[in-house]
Amino acid sequence: MTEPSNAYEYLDHVDPRERARLAAVRRYRLVDQPVEDAYDRIAFIAGALFGTPIATVSLVEQDRVWLAACHGLTGVRQIGKEPGLCASVIAQDDVYVINDAAVDPRTLEHPLVRGELGLRFYAAAPIRTHDGYRLGTVNVIDSVPREADPRRLQALEHLAAIVADELELRLMVIRSAAAEQRMRESVN
């Protein structure tokens, strides 16, 4: 008899807190799915609010950042996690702001700063679940330096909270469908 395959074997050596966070990311079943209108609207509003050419709703997986919605980067659905701005955001509870990435010591060598994109401004709010996991970000990006005022940053936090609420609604639908399926199977 063969041993059952462990689909998440690569998680065996991951810190338990990160393993729990990754499980939280996966429970919403949003990674590797088509863009949904709710997240697309949130990314659009974030970009419009800040007047930036790029805005995304992202989920941080173990080795990549999945863009659940993206305005301003055509055809991009994921980027590598390292070196990651989104990964830095989920390590804290507060909004993460880089006013000028060309002079900020956190980003001087970052490939998005040094590369073709020429990132200069980045502001992101972590998406926090109701049980405390930071899954990803709502963020805005520009190729010119800028200052972000506190009111806009607070609005970005509210948009991230709306994403968290949408994720909870999504989870309720997933769980309801699973319960309905179990009920049907028990009747048959």
Side-chain angles (χ1 to χ4, degrees), residues 24 26-29 36 39 130 163-182:
R26 291 186 186 106
R27 75 180 169 209
Y28 297 100
R29 299 182 191 166
E36 293 186 17
Y39 308 111
H130 297 281
V163 170
D165 291 343
E166 286 291 325
L167 288 171
E168 291 305 315
L169 290 172
R170 179 183 183 84
L171 187 58
M172 287 181 1
V173 169
I174 290 168
R175 289 178 175 164
S176 293
E180 183 178 331
Q181 181 65 31
R182 284 190 305 272

Side-chain angles (χ1 to χ4, degrees), residues 2 37 40 60 85-86 94 102 137 163 172 174:
T2 60
D37 289 342
D40 196 49
V60 179
L85 292 171
C86 293
D94 300 323
T137 70
V163 170
M172 287 181 1
I174 290 168

